Amino acid sequence: MKIDPILVEIKQNTTSLPYALWEQIGFRFGDKGTHTSRTIMLEELSLLLRECAENATRDDYVTAIVDNNCLGKRTAATRRLTSQRMRELYGLDPSLLIFRVLRYCWYADQKGRPLLALLTALARDPLLRITSLPILRMQPGEEMVRQQMINILRESTGSRLNDSTLDKVVRNASSSWTQSGHLKGRVRKIRQKVEPTPVVTAYALLLGYLLGARGLGLFKTLWAKVLDTPSEELVSLAVDAKRLGFLDINFSGGIIEISVDPMLTEDERRLIRE
């Protein structure tokens, strides 16, 4: 992948970045992406997390989809494929830090669920991340131009995706950005502003923190930009998230310090500090 928006703010040589650690906690990189065949499947994720207990295991999620058919798929083959695609997008494994915290936030914040799903899918689908570039350049009320999304995808993937596949990615990504609230409309997709909650803000800051952003830099990452909210307002939402117990935030001499430790287990804290 020639362009990866989540690495834009990271100034290090990309050959020295801790990809193995990032993949261990749930990020995915490379040239492939689930959006060649699926959207973020918000409805399916909602049904699955409603069906399964809050402490469900990886096997429990697979069983719910494949054996119990909690998503109402017609054939066994479709159920297995759906399970695979949802694991690609979300992990569905509490041993993955990103999914474990997503699940924690999900049950705490019903209003924020569409954005929580999108943020997680962005962490795990490189193709969806590429489509964020034209979406974030749009102003509220502006109509999405499909060709702009096709062009940035082609620039990033080269000749790997043919025209038919590129069209599928654009169609699926447009649906995903509609499910998250960034776009509205069935045929003509119009940009609209989303409104993050304190919990969503904390989760976005966590994702940036895991990639190495700190302080005010946390409010300049892709995750923060997706929230359509000025930095000063995000800081206010982060203060609210602190009151809810999701993070710690301190101000000193014009410097802001944020800790995501309240959302992490002791083992996870050690892992990201090694």
Side-chain angles (χ1 to χ4, degrees):
M1 189 74 70
K2 296 179 181 178
I3 303 171
D4 194 327
I6 65 175
L7 302 179
V8 170
E9 300 297 328
I10 298 175
K11 307 303 182 183
Q12 301 163 266
N13 187 323
T14 56
T15 60
S16 65
L17 296 176
Y19 290 107
L21 170 62
W22 291 343
E23 290 173 347
Q24 183 179 350
I25 59 183
F27 291 94
R28 296 179 74 220
F29 301 90
D31 295 330
K32 297 180 180 179
T34 307
H35 275 71
T36 54
S37 61
R38 292 289 190 278
T39 72
I40 60 172
M41 298 188 285
L42 178 61
E43 181 179 357
E44 285 91 338
L45 181 64
S46 300
L47 289 171
L48 179 63
L49 293 181
R50 185 176 67 189
E51 174 73 15
C52 294
E54 293 186 29
N55 61 347
T57 65
R58 179 184 183 278
D59 289 343
D60 291 334
Y61 292 114
V62 174
T63 297
I65 298 170
V66 177
D67 298 335
N68 300 340
N69 195 21
C70 72
L71 304 181
K73 302 301 179 181
R74 292 184 178 181
T75 67
T78 303
R79 295 196 290 272
R80 288 192 294 271
L81 184 59
T82 298
S83 176
Q84 177 184 336
R85 295 293 182 254
M86 292 192 71
R87 282 184 279 118
E88 290 172 5
L89 282 172
Y90 300 109
L92 302 186
D93 183 346
S95 70
L96 293 174
L97 188 161
I98 286 179
F99 176 70
R100 188 194 62 75
V101 179
L102 163 68
R103 187 172 67 177
Y104 175 64
C105 294
W106 185 273
Y107 291 117
D109 183 14
Q110 182 172 354
K111 180 182 177 182
R113 289 174 180 177
L115 285 176
L116 291 171
L118 178 78
L119 289 168
T120 309
L122 284 169
R124 294 186 56 80
D125 189 336
L127 290 178
L128 182 62
R129 289 202 291 271
I130 293 299
T131 70
S132 71
L133 297 174
I135 294 294
L136 295 180
R137 292 174 188 149
M138 295 172 64
Q139 298 298 315
E142 184 179 347
E143 182 176 354
M144 190 193 82
V145 179
R146 289 174 56 86
Q147 191 60 46
Q148 293 178 355
M149 193 174 287
I150 290 173
N151 290 345
I152 192 66
L153 283 164
R154 183 174 283 118
E155 179 183 353
S156 181
T157 61
S159 60
R160 190 179 66 80
L161 302 180
N162 60 34
D163 289 346
S164 176
T165 303
L166 283 173
D167 186 68
K168 289 179 182 177
V169 174
V170 171
R171 186 168 60 250
N172 289 331
S174 299
S175 175
S176 290
W177 289 104
T178 302
Q179 292 173 54
S180 71
H182 289 81
L183 298 175
K184 63 178 178 180
R186 293 179 60 84
V187 179
R188 296 176 63 243
K189 297 291 187 180
I190 307 300
R191 184 69 158 91
Q192 60 181 4
K193 183 180 181 297
V194 298
E195 296 183 1
T197 64
V199 173
V200 167
T201 302
Y203 186 60
L205 296 177
L206 168 77
L207 293 171
Y209 190 98
L210 294 173
L211 290 173
R214 297 292 186 271
L216 287 175
L218 287 165
F219 300 91
K220 300 177 182 179
T221 68
L222 171 65
W223 322 112
K225 293 173 183 176
V226 163
L227 303 186
D228 285 345
T229 303
S231 295
E232 58 272 18
E233 294 181 27
L234 288 179
V235 171
S236 178
L237 288 166
V239 171
D240 291 339
K242 176 182 179 179
R243 296 192 188 102
L244 295 172
F246 281 82
L247 48 76
D248 290 323
I249 181 169
N250 294 291
F251 305 89
S252 178
I255 297 176
I256 183 171
E257 295 183 358
I258 292 178
S259 170
V260 298
D261 280 2
M263 288 185 280
L264 304 178
T265 66
E266 189 59 41
D267 287 343
E268 290 167 348
R269 293 168 194 159
R270 284 197 296 268
L271 178 65
I272 65 175
R273 287 167 183 160
E274 288 180 352

